[in-house]
Amino acid sequence: MPRLSPDEINRLRAGLPDDVERIAFHEGTEPPGCSPLNAEKRAGTYHCRVCGEALFSSTAKYESGSGWPSFFEPVSAGAIGTRRDFKLILPRTEFHCANCGAHGGHVFNDGPRPTGQRWCANGLVLDFRPASEE
């Protein structure tokens, strides 16, 4: 359940580009390899593009080879919510921003240590803020 009210979420959604709206609120997926965040190497934090909630730290980012920005853990347990996704033949775990409910991507159990998880994110729904600007 998002922490923001439906009215607050609708206000935020109104200003989103169509491609971000499709991913964030219709559980779309961007094509692999298209996000400039794949190559982002600076220290900083990845925030929800819809509401600004901090979701991932650059210290948890790694190159998974999947074509999407990948992290081995979220910035905090309360920043992200999860639910089972049965849209494909095998069930997956979908993650979303706990603050506004925006779909971020999926979690897989093929990541690196220490968690063994791969939080595979759609770059279009992330906003990177370099540590030097935070």
Side-chain angles (χ1 to χ4, degrees):
M1 224 32 214
R3 292 187 292 258
L4 294 179
S5 73
D7 286 342
E8 290 170 309
I9 293 169
N10 286 334
R11 276 193 294 279
L12 292 170
R13 287 176 72 171
L16 294 176
D18 290 344
D19 52 354
V20 176
E21 164 75 16
R22 180 183 59 78
I23 292 169
F25 294 102
H26 301 283
E27 298 178 9
T29 301
E30 67 193 18
C34 75
S35 175
L37 295 180
N38 286 337
E40 183 58 65
K41 304 288 187 223
R42 294 175 291 172
T45 308
Y46 295 81
H47 295 256
C48 174
R49 187 166 171 190
V50 177
C51 71
E53 181 83 3
L55 301 178
F56 298 101
S57 169
S58 62
T59 59
K61 187 173 186 275
Y62 73 99
E63 176 52 56
S64 69
S66 67
W68 289 277
S70 297
F71 307 85
F72 60 78
E73 66 185 354
V75 73
S76 71
I80 291 180
T82 61
R83 67 177 157 247
R84 297 298 279 166
D85 172 352
F86 294 95
K87 291 187 177 132
L88 297 179
I89 294 171
L90 297 175
R92 302 178 294 174
T93 300
E94 180 255 340
F95 74 83
H96 54 274
C97 173
N99 195 44
C100 70
H103 168 77
H106 291 87
V107 185
F108 302 96
N109 291 319
D110 59 2
R113 293 183 177 173
T115 65
Q117 297 177 326
R118 174 172 49 104
W119 295 76
C120 190
N122 288 289
L124 279 173
V125 296
L126 296 176
D127 176 33
F128 177 71
R129 298 183 194 167
S132 61
E133 298 174 16
E134 288 193 298

